Amino acid sequence: MDLFEETTNWAEKLQPLIKTYQGKKHPLDYENLYQLMVMVILSAQDSDANINKIAPALFNEFPNLESIAVSNIEALIPYISKVRNFGTKASWIIEIAQTLKSDTNIPTNLTELVALKGIGRKSANVIMREMKVPAEGIIADLHVIRVAPKIGLIQEAKDGNKVEKQLMDVLPKEIWGEIGMAISFLGRETCRPTNPKCSVCPIQNDCQYPLKTI
């Protein structure tokens, strides 16, 4: 069987996976679009758990973009100092706040989101999925980069944008909005790097991973 045969009906085969995680909230514990955007920026090369830990104090001090826009990097840093690359991220967040000025100006489309400092395609796709706007791409986080080739969906690649492009080439647009996060949840909960729980995987019958029969 050719894993990359163009006639593979992945939209149908991935339905059990999509059904399992349809609409499940992202692990970042945000309450609104402003918080989500800031937390997504902070979570780059860091863990969602760490960002969730520092978020309450951060948002208590800076409840909206307006409060950040009139502040400065030095005031912001104490609240994010436990975050990886906090200095750079602080400058990005301050710049975004001073550019947008208000939470109501935060965009929810790919073009405008990726134009903001610190927001790449992956982050923009996460924001759009959580805000339930029509998908323009597919979330390709570290879990998706690892798991999608293992399933047999795409060729292995280390670059998230390349992984996303491959996924967009093989999957119909109607499942773009949910499939990235579904694969991410699968990687977090079931398709672990070590000791994957293949026996409870919702797509075990179609996965190409050699240990799927375990």
Side-chain angles (χ1 to χ4, degrees), residues 155-179:
Q155 300 280 3
E156 192 170 338
K158 292 182 179 179
D159 179 75
N161 288 341
K162 289 180 180 177
V163 167
E164 183 191 8
K165 185 179 186 308
Q166 287 190 72
L167 288 172
M168 290 167 69
D169 286 342
V170 299
L171 299 176
K173 195 166 186 178
E174 58 263 28
I175 69 169
W176 286 6
E178 285 295 329
I179 192 57

Side-chain angles (χ1 to χ4, degrees), residues 3 10 18 27-28 48-49 64 104 118 143 150 154 158-159 161 180 183 195 206:
L3 305 191
W10 280 114
I18 293 173
L28 287 171
D48 294 335
N64 48 41
T104 57
H143 303 283
K150 184 183 286 188
I154 59 170
K158 292 182 179 179
D159 179 75
N161 288 341
I183 296 173
N195 302 317
D206 292 302

